[in-house]
Amino acid sequence: MSGNGFGHTFRFTTFGESHGPAIGCVIDGVPPRLPLAEADIQPWLDARKPGQNRFTTQRQEADQVRILSGVFEGVTTGTSIGLLIENTDQRSKDYGDIKDTFRPGHADWVYEQKYGLRDYRGGGRSSARETAMRVAAGAVARVILDHLAPGIMIRGAMVQMGPHAIDPDKWDWDQRTENPFWCPDSEAAKGWEAFLDGVRKSGSSTGGVVEVVASGVPAGLGAPVYDKLDADLAKAMMSINAVKGVEIGAGFLAASLSGQDNADEMRMGADGRVRFLSNNAGGILGGISTGQDVVVRIAVKPTSSILIPTKSVDRHGNEIEVITKGRHDPCVAIRAVPVAEAMMAVTLADHLLRHRAQCG
Amino acid sequence: MSGNGFGHTFRFTTFGESHGPAIGCVIDGVPPRLPLAEADIQPWLDARKPGQNRFTTQRQEADQVRILSGVFEGVTTGTSIGLLIENTDQRSKDYGDIKDTFRPGHADWVYEQKYGLRDYRGGGRSSARETAMRVAAGAVARVILDHLAPGIMIRGAMVQMGPHAIDPDKWDWDQRTENPFWCPDSEAAKGWEAFLDGVRKSGSSTGGVVEVVASGVPAGLGAPVYDKLDADLAKAMMSINAVKGVEIGAGFLAASLSGQDNADEMRMGADGRVRFLSNNAGGILGGISTGQDVVVRIAVKPTSSILIPTKSVDRHGNEIEVITKGRHDPCVAIRAVPVAEAMMAVTLADHLLRHRAQCG
Amino acid sequence: MSGNGFGHTFRFTTFGESHGPAIGCVIDGVPPRLPLAEADIQPWLDARKPGQNRFTTQRQEADQVRILSGVFEGVTTGTSIGLLIENTDQRSKDYGDIKDTFRPGHADWVYEQKYGLRDYRGGGRSSARETAMRVAAGAVARVILDHLAPGIMIRGAMVQMGPHAIDPDKWDWDQRTENPFWCPDSEAAKGWEAFLDGVRKSGSSTGGVVEVVASGVPAGLGAPVYDKLDADLAKAMMSINAVKGVEIGAGFLAASLSGQDNADEMRMGADGRVRFLSNNAGGILGGISTGQDVVVRIAVKPTSSILIPTKSVDRHGNEIEVITKGRHDPCVAIRAVPVAEAMMAVTLADHLLRHRAQCG
Amino acid sequence: MSGNGFGHTFRFTTFGESHGPAIGCVIDGVPPRLPLAEADIQPWLDARKPGQNRFTTQRQEADQVRILSGVFEGVTTGTSIGLLIENTDQRSKDYGDIKDTFRPGHADWVYEQKYGLRDYRGGGRSSARETAMRVAAGAVARVILDHLAPGIMIRGAMVQMGPHAIDPDKWDWDQRTENPFWCPDSEAAKGWEAFLDGVRKSGSSTGGVVEVVASGVPAGLGAPVYDKLDADLAKAMMSINAVKGVEIGAGFLAASLSGQDNADEMRMGADGRVRFLSNNAGGILGGISTGQDVVVRIAVKPTSSILIPTKSVDRHGNEIEVITKGRHDPCVAIRAVPVAEAMMAVTLADHLLRHRAQCG
């Protein structure tokens, strides 16, 4: 258990480096008889794919996924699903000059500390390239959710770029695919565009905040103590490259509130079902879903791969200044959106199957 | 795997309800030949114990821990360690009146949704009583760290009560045991005391923010992808009752920063070792410890057990107003401090042993 | 994960040494709303209890189990179940003389090799005392099976004592509780009684073979590759003290057969369901249950705790001769019967819940 | 956790069907800086490869393995290792006629019972084709053992074909590669050759017994209770296709012995180290290795894919007679030899790393 897998009952394990021949994963625990084809996975990969506009790294990857097993005559068989994506646009020579240098804010130095060596080409295993397999596994998780808990919808949006947060009142889900930032307010997105052009031209980078909302989640998913639904979501989200914070519902704001202001009061709905008057809990109480929207926000740091010189050291103990050329994202938070959605999907699918095991 | 255990190589599994006869845990994976006695665990339990001042629940529990196995002639044997604490101050009758009501913000309703029933006495399994076993397991984890990675120090502090945050410049670790709030600024603590008295008298509650710092952590602990050290810390912390947010290092602030401002630059120290000029990363890069302080902050919501009426429903579908009498904490964040320290300890111990497995 | 737990979805973790204050376990994953009381567990413990006749160790343990959590108002709550049995008849001084000696065939020497020390009192953690918790967990597993897959019956029998095997044609389940050996042929049992009296009086011990049969197991339990039902049963059975071999169905005999003789042919039953004309497979094909009886046989070695001197060494490297006095079993296979039944129960319960997770 | 992986600290997870495009696996937990190339894996795959003589299936697979990740500049990096083998000699049409029939002794029927469908081409996931990935993972495990516990040698031999067992006194390891059966007695092998030709020509099949011996295993590997080294070996071996029994050391024979005859007496060797006068324990006591040879024997049933008609049923409930044409093994035990060796290697590697975690 060296950390390359996620989930218990729905579990996927990934492999692959940024500049190796391919990346892939094995997914274990998928229920049988669910329709599944490459066409169910590819669109999500396409949405994550870099190089689609000037605001993401210009690496061009086809990201064509192949299903190697676990599907027969168009449906899942219940056996493990192997997925593979060949890498096609590695330019390892771009990275020759960082072979002996440690980039501040990157995993370069700690990999050497832990393992005594590192695959320096494009960050090796620490590269965001790995997130393609998260998105692929997430697509399979969505198929499970669609069939076993129909009505769940998982959507992510970028709600803050650098210091510029959106106005929640202007949130319009329909807008988020109308701009290059998954921003649910196209007006705000215009401001971000100018801001990010400035960042990019200055050779710098910026952070951002991403919110993922899962609606239609049935009440009762989760577990009481250590595998709380929110605990597993926190792990899932914090495991995404560059994420430094995770909030559920009101999150850090809840620390400032009084008990009565934070409480989500309950009434009976016209349909005879319980309804909540607010959702500070973010759809999770005591580690178990309430049936409200599950709301998670994550803080994404600015990438350290910038053209502005930063102080560092090399493998020989020399003090140096580092400039990272290569192909990089001025705001990696943008590409974190589909990845965070995927991690929501896999976490929910895992807990859905776990719930079936224990509660039928 | 229904969620009552934490960790892989160092793993503990807990049981027990708020008003059952006892709580306990089994700890698996402890290295042999480490000195261990009840006296190594009891002080941490005493520090967590409620009822020590007017700012925590008045439940009086001796919290006397017994080691039932895994220790022979004063040292660990390498076999599983059983720990037990008898409950002594259950007052189940306090809770008879919530048998049929769902308290907003509590796990009452979701337990019924998931399991079709609940042990309503004192919250049953969802009670913070369970955290005593986290603290006990954390004490054992500290013994492991003390012997296998000497020099690690884990300390928590409350850094915000309700809307009142401390001034980081006035941080003095020596102060944190000089006030009832684990506040590292006794001056600020005086303001909190007045504030919390007001909260308590009004029958309300308040949230807070807790920071845990682990210093002396060697570089190289963690794993690259899903079991990142920060991912496991996020899960550990989010699994604590009432926690709604987790940050590492600069956390959500990092989202606002530029790449150059966020980068922790590196230089060579006079001792020939790499040193970092800042610690926005919170001691973790790419999921692996850097050797700097590991810094985690958690947001704790205000408890919903308040004397102020809140709208709710009962098991029969009637709309009601709920007032929670019983014995409760006006600011549960206070008692979260030793629990969060413990979760830091168990996460580090787990990753230390995992690191030994793979990297020797 | 240091080896003190068993199962994935239904999982129990045990602790306790032969001569410590208590033994216990935590069971995780039990479905909610199942009736459970100490009275459901105690009879199985009583059946395993030693000292009930002259053919088992004379240690007298009440083996009174207490349920400490996870049950409320007579039914399971879905949270973890803590079980505890106090040890009452430890006579540690019996073992003072083996403190520095290694008994051949015991775990004494390997514990010292692995851990650098051992709890020598009664074998410490390697004692068969631990199997009481297997039986307790097995009782809980039986409750799960009774409610979720009604009709499963798990019965064990001793089918060989030393070189004396029973005649399968004389098998009568009703007989097995009519003699002290769980022997399904009381006539054979009489011969065993004389044989074992001889063994006992000579200060020796003997091995035996135990068969466990689970009837009424629904088809479809298990998993295709590494977690085959028979693979998990093999692990479960081999983990029992003194077991040196495990067979499923025809077992080692199958190696001698031709394909046509070994094949279990299939026909349609009068009830419109498939029936098998034989059961060489022991109820498992490709790792998945067929609906026939699941049949497992285990070889139990003779205990090395004998009054006949055997050559050994002590901790100081001296060559010695060892005689083990204390209280011991002349044929531990007898007491392995309820333990093997319990391991069958926990394995089936685990796979039943896993099947629910994946296949609904 | 649906059963497609094996191991805890060294863990591999496989995917792939007999007639899919490829099979593969991910290996997690490999220590860094170990030399590893395809050339370290390929010879073991070649040894397992079918079609090399008339006694195994005539399927011709190149079985060329590719390392897709986890190795950089010739050494392991500590990240997950992806392995892939393309299938090249699928002849799915061979199997069209079994689409609707259930072959006795095969997994056909139980897969339908469990999953409601099956990939009938060549047995799909239940095919022995999957064992190629076991052998590949075993090769990586051997690299770990070679570097971290030098001196371990793992060798398997076939010791019985059908009813014909070898004479242990004629065992000569050098002979086992001199005949097509991994038989350590070439004289006996000649008899087997005639026997198997008869079996093959009659359209039948036969079972066999395989013994695997690991010498040079250091004392102290294993764990006391459920994850005993022998328990994990039992699971590993029983998970191999067609295996119906597992023995350690004296195995089932031990059931017939007296305590004094079964005890492995201990003396001091001339080198000042403890030596054992016999090895009935098969190198494992109390679940922990003794330093003697670890000896495991497995019973392999005859394959049910025979040309002799056997009674069965089809998917429509018709009673039929089945003849399996396709390409099959008259004695699958032959090909089980390298697979059983591989499972020994992965189990030892897993326990070696687990031992490092706990005991340093």
Side-chain angles (χ1 to χ4, degrees), chain A residues 220-267:
Chain A
L221 301 191
V225 186
Y226 298 98
D227 292 355
K228 286 182 163 80
L229 179 57
D230 34 354
D232 279 342
L233 282 171
K235 173 166 177 157
M237 297 299 168
M238 196 70 94
S239 78
I240 301 172
N241 312 44
V243 171
K244 300 303 285 185
V246 181
E247 292 185 319
I248 307 290
F252 275 86
L253 180 62
S256 308
L257 298 181
S258 67
Q260 62 271 32
D261 288 344
N262 184 63
D264 297 318
E265 296 187 302
M266 301 159 82
R267 294 281 90 173

Side-chain angles (χ1 to χ4, degrees), chain A residues 2-325:
Chain A
S2 189
N4 291 286
F6 185 85
H8 291 267
T9 304
F10 172 89
R11 181 169 179 85
F12 67 102
T13 311
T14 73
F15 65 86
E17 279 85 42
S18 177
H19 286 60
I23 58 176
C25 74
V26 192
I27 309 177
D28 208 352
V30 177
R33 299 190 307 282
L34 305 181
L36 181 67
E38 273 109 358
D40 295 304
I41 304 172
Q42 197 60 51
W44 304 105
L45 285 168
D46 293 345
R48 173 202 158 277
K49 213 164 54 175
Q52 305 191 84
N53 58 55
R54 71 183 182 278
F55 301 112
T56 59
T57 168
Q58 292 307 298
R59 180 168 174 167
Q60 299 287 342
E61 283 290 350
D63 274 354
Q64 284 294 326
V65 68
R66 288 172 64 205
I67 298 176
L68 297 180
S69 68
V71 174
F72 182 59
E73 298 182 343
V75 294
T76 56
T77 60
T79 62
S80 52
I81 296 175
L83 301 179
L84 195 76
I85 296 174
E86 309 272 347
N87 285 333
T88 57
D89 190 28
Q90 313 100 301
R91 293 194 206 156
S92 300
K93 62 181 178 326
D94 282 4
Y95 295 95
D97 53 351
I98 60 163
K99 180 179 174 180
D100 292 317
T101 65
F102 301 122
R103 294 166 296 169
H106 270 279
D108 302 341
W109 190 73
V110 291
Y111 270 56
E112 294 256 355
Q113 294 297 307
K114 182 174 189 70
Y115 298 121
L117 85 172
R118 71 188 156 104
D119 176 352
Y120 54 79
R121 301 165 304 164
R125 184 70 177 144
S126 72
S127 164
R129 179 108 196 89
E130 189 271 346
T131 61
M133 295 322 302
R134 300 176 183 237
V135 170
V140 176
R142 286 179 196 258
V143 169
I144 295 173
L145 296 173
D146 284 350
H147 284 83
L148 302 187
I152 293 180
M153 181 162 49
I154 297 169
R155 292 181 295 193
M158 196 163 151
V159 298
Q160 183 183 323
M161 179 184 286
H164 307 292
I166 65 163
D167 176 350
D169 292 338
K170 297 190 177 158
W171 190 299
D172 177 358
W173 280 114
D174 292 339
Q175 292 298 312
R176 73 171 185 140
T177 46
E178 303 301 310
N179 59 75
F181 309 119
W182 307 102
C183 180
D185 173 1
S186 286
E187 203 58 42
K190 283 183 195 153
W192 291 1
E193 187 164 342
F195 171 72
L196 195 55
D197 271 327
V199 166
R200 195 167 54 86
K201 283 168 188 161
S202 70
S204 182
S205 64
T206 187
V209 176
V210 170
E211 181 168 321
V212 180
V213 179
S215 57
V217 176
L221 301 191
V225 186
Y226 298 98
D227 292 355
K228 286 182 163 80
L229 179 57
D230 34 354
D232 279 342
L233 282 171
K235 173 166 177 157
M237 297 299 168
M238 196 70 94
S239 78
I240 301 172
N241 312 44
V243 171
K244 300 303 285 185
V246 181
E247 292 185 319
I248 307 290
F252 275 86
L253 180 62
S256 308
L257 298 181
S258 67
Q260 62 271 32
D261 288 344
N262 184 63
D264 297 318
E265 296 187 302
M266 301 159 82
R267 294 281 90 173
M268 296 307 296
D271 58 356
R273 298 163 58 100
V274 167
R275 67 191 171 89
F276 293 86
L277 306 187
S278 55
N279 190 15
N280 288 315
I284 303 173
L285 283 172
I288 298 172
S289 63
T290 64
Q292 291 188 281
D293 285 358
V294 174
V295 181
V296 181
R297 254 182 322 279
I298 59 176
V300 184
K301 73 174 182 180
T303 178
S304 316
S305 299
I306 52 179
L307 289 166
I308 298 167
T310 44
K311 293 173 187 159
S312 189
V313 297
D314 67 16
R315 298 187 68 189
H316 312 296
N318 300 312
E319 299 195 335
I320 56 173
E321 296 222 317
V322 170
I323 293 174
T324 309
K325 293 171 197 158

Side-chain angles (χ1 to χ4, degrees), chain C residues 202-221:
Chain C
S202 71
S204 182
S205 64
T206 188
V209 176
V210 171
E211 181 168 320
V212 179
V213 179
S215 58
V217 176
L221 301 193

Side-chain angles (χ1 to χ4, degrees), chain A residues 1 4 8 14 28 33 115, chain D residues 1 4 8 28 33 115:
Chain A
M1 290 210 177
N4 291 286
H8 291 267
T14 73
D28 208 352
R33 299 190 307 282
Y115 298 121
Chain D
M1 293 213 175
N4 292 287
H8 291 269
D28 207 353
R33 299 190 308 280
Y115 298 120

Side-chain angles (χ1 to χ4, degrees), chain B residues 1-5 7-11 13-17 20-30 32-33 66-73 75-84 86 99 111 114-121 125, chain C residues 1-5 7-11 13-17 20-30 32-33 66-73 75-84 86 99 111 114-121 125:
Chain B
M1 292 213 177
S2 189
N4 291 286
H8 291 268
T9 304
F10 173 89
R11 181 170 180 82
T13 312
T14 74
F15 65 86
E17 279 85 41
I23 58 176
C25 74
V26 192
I27 309 177
D28 208 352
V30 177
R33 299 190 308 280
R66 287 173 66 204
I67 298 175
L68 296 180
S69 69
V71 175
F72 182 58
E73 298 183 342
V75 294
T76 57
T77 60
T79 61
S80 53
I81 295 175
L83 301 180
L84 195 76
E86 308 273 346
K99 180 178 174 179
Y111 269 57
K114 181 174 190 71
Y115 298 120
L117 87 171
R118 73 186 154 105
D119 176 352
Y120 53 79
R121 302 164 306 164
R125 184 71 177 144
Chain C
M1 291 215 176
S2 187
N4 291 286
H8 290 268
T9 304
F10 172 88
R11 181 169 180 83
T13 310
T14 74
F15 66 86
E17 278 86 40
I23 58 176
C25 74
V26 192
I27 309 176
D28 207 353
V30 177
R33 299 190 308 280
R66 288 171 66 203
I67 299 175
L68 297 180
S69 68
V71 175
F72 182 59
E73 297 182 343
V75 294
T76 57
T77 59
T79 61
S80 53
I81 295 176
L83 301 179
L84 195 76
E86 308 272 346
K99 178 177 175 180
Y111 270 57
K114 183 175 187 73
Y115 298 120
L117 86 172
R118 71 187 155 107
D119 176 352
Y120 53 80
R121 301 164 306 162
R125 184 71 177 145

